[in-house]
């Protein structure tokens, strides 16, 4: 780790509606235990993590957002990633040698899929965001260009609205419509990696909240990216759902009815990971 290394980074990965809720449960529980991750010098958000990350970087109280997860899921559109869709994603990725090629193949599937209208989906994204402007604290939101497969990172300097950036990061291929920004179409940042933890390179301490960790083909797993961060000298703690949380998620991460159980599971899990998180975070 060089002298120019930054301090602390918080990486928030994808995982659908249940992933959003679980992350708020973890964050509220950690705050109660004495570790407030809103002090991160950088927040990285992918898919579900972009929803949470935009609010964490804006200083929103995790306890308040945790309580929101326990309320009714009005305004959400129920959906499911079926086996056929998963198989098409996997086939596209496993046939590809690079993340860009995999992204372009999955992007073609997304562009051809029948979904709700972009405007309808945007309304849902807006309802999840109590803040609509980019925060002052550094925030990176990930997406993938549906046409080229190019990995795209939106930040305050990109000239893209926060709602659009988050919507692009959450555009699950073949489930939700690609998001149009400046004439280009974008899909879920999780197409490149479940958390894109490599964006935290150069930070001394990194906490990764990853509802999903697996990779396949050229899609990098959380473990592979975290190993590279550690080799570079970073202290890293990875928090993923425990067995009780996975059971609370159920079989469909996009089911609004799973939101409250997932949030409670995250809150219940937080005390068991609090010491590991504090050990990484506390003296960075």
């Amino acid at each position: 780790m060089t002298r120019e290394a930054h301090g602390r980074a918080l990486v928030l990965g994808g995982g659908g509606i249940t992933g959003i809720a679980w992350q708020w449960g973890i964050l509220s529980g950690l705050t109660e235990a004495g570790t407030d991750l809103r002090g991160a010098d950088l927040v990285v958000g992918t898919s579900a993590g972009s929803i949470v990350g935009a609010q964490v970087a804006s200083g929103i109280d995790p306890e308040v957002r945790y309580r929101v997860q326990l309320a009714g899921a009005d305004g959400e559109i129920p959906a499911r990633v079926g086996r056929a869709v998963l198989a098409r994603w996997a086939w596209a990725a496993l046939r590809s040698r690079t993340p860009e090629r995999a992204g372009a193949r999955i992007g073609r599937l997304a562009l051809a899929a029948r979904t709700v209208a972009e405007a309808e989906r945007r309304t849902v994204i807006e309802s999840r965001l109590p803040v609509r402007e980019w925060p002052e604290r550094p925030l990176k939101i990930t997406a993938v260009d549906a046409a080229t497969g190019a990995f795209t990172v939106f930040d305050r300097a990109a000239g893209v609205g926060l709602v659009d950036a988050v919507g692009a990061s959450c555009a699950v291929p073949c489930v939700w419509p690609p998001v149009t920004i400046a004439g280009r179409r974008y899909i879920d940042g999780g197409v490149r990696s479940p958390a894109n933890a490599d964006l935290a390179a150069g930070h001394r301490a990194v906490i990764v909240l990853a509802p999903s960790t697996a990779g396949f083909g050229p899609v990098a797993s959380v473990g592979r990216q975290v190993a590279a961060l550690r080799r570079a000298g970073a202290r890293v703690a990875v928090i993923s759902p425990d067995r009780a949380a996975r059971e609370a998620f159920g079989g469909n991460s996009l089911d609004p009815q799973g939101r409250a159980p997932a949030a409670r599971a995250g809150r219940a899990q937080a005390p068991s990971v609090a010491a590991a998180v504090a050990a990484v975070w506390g003296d960075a």
Side-chain angles (χ1 to χ4, degrees):
M1 190 66 63
T2 67
R3 292 182 180 179
E4 292 76 24
H6 302 288
R8 303 177 294 189
L10 173 62
V11 177
L12 301 159
I17 290 175
T18 56
I20 293 171
W22 173 81
Q23 289 181 59
W24 282 125
I26 289 285
L27 290 166
S28 64
L30 289 175
T31 301
E32 183 178 60
T35 302
D36 187 345
L37 299 182
R38 287 178 294 176
D41 298 295
L42 169 68
V43 178
V44 177
T46 291
S47 198
S50 71
I51 292 281
V52 179
Q55 296 172 69
V56 169
S58 299
I60 300 295
D61 185 351
E63 178 65 19
V64 171
R65 298 311 295 172
Y66 168 69
R67 294 294 173 186
V68 169
Q69 307 311 303
L70 303 182
D74 295 340
E76 294 288 348
I77 305 172
R80 173 182 289 276
V81 179
R83 291 183 180 179
V85 170
L86 288 172
R88 294 170 76 190
W89 290 355
W91 178 241
L94 293 172
R95 292 171 58 209
S96 305
R97 293 186 177 182
T98 67
E100 293 78 15
R101 187 60 180 152
R105 284 182 164 137
I106 295 173
R108 282 199 296 271
L109 297 175
L111 291 168
R114 298 180 64 180
T115 67
V116 301
E118 271 192 70
E120 184 176 355
R121 175 62 176 164
R122 193 179 196 277
T123 298
V124 173
I125 299 299
E126 288 179 329
S127 73
R128 296 177 181 174
L129 291 174
V131 293
R132 308 285 170 80
E133 301 297 328
W134 285 91
E136 294 293 334
R137 187 176 300 276
L139 169 66
K140 295 182 179 181
I141 292 178
T142 69
V144 170
D145 188 303
T148 67
F151 183 49
T152 302
V153 180
F154 296 113
D155 60 15
R156 184 181 178 89
V160 172
L162 181 63
V163 172
D164 288 329
V166 170
S169 192
C170 293
V172 181
C174 305
V175 176
W176 305 124
V179 170
T180 305
I181 298 175
R184 302 203 65 81
R185 310 290 301 284
Y186 293 92
I187 57 175
D188 198 309
V191 168
R192 192 250 189 179
S193 172
N196 295 295
D198 57 330
L199 292 180
H203 288 74
R204 292 189 296 272
V206 182
I207 303 298
V208 182
L209 301 190
S212 175
T213 61
F216 52 92
V219 178
S221 68
V222 170
R224 189 199 309 176
Q225 293 184 333
V226 164
L229 292 174
R230 287 174 173 152
R231 286 195 299 271
R235 299 195 308 277
V236 187
V238 179
I239 311 303
S240 56
D242 60 13
R243 181 174 180 178
R246 293 193 299 272
E247 291 176 353
F249 287 5
N252 180 12
S253 65
L254 301 181
D255 183 359
Q257 298 306 311
R259 190 165 77 168
R264 293 190 185 97
R267 185 64 177 264
Q269 183 182 350
S272 70
V273 302
V277 170
V280 168
W281 203 250
D283 60 354

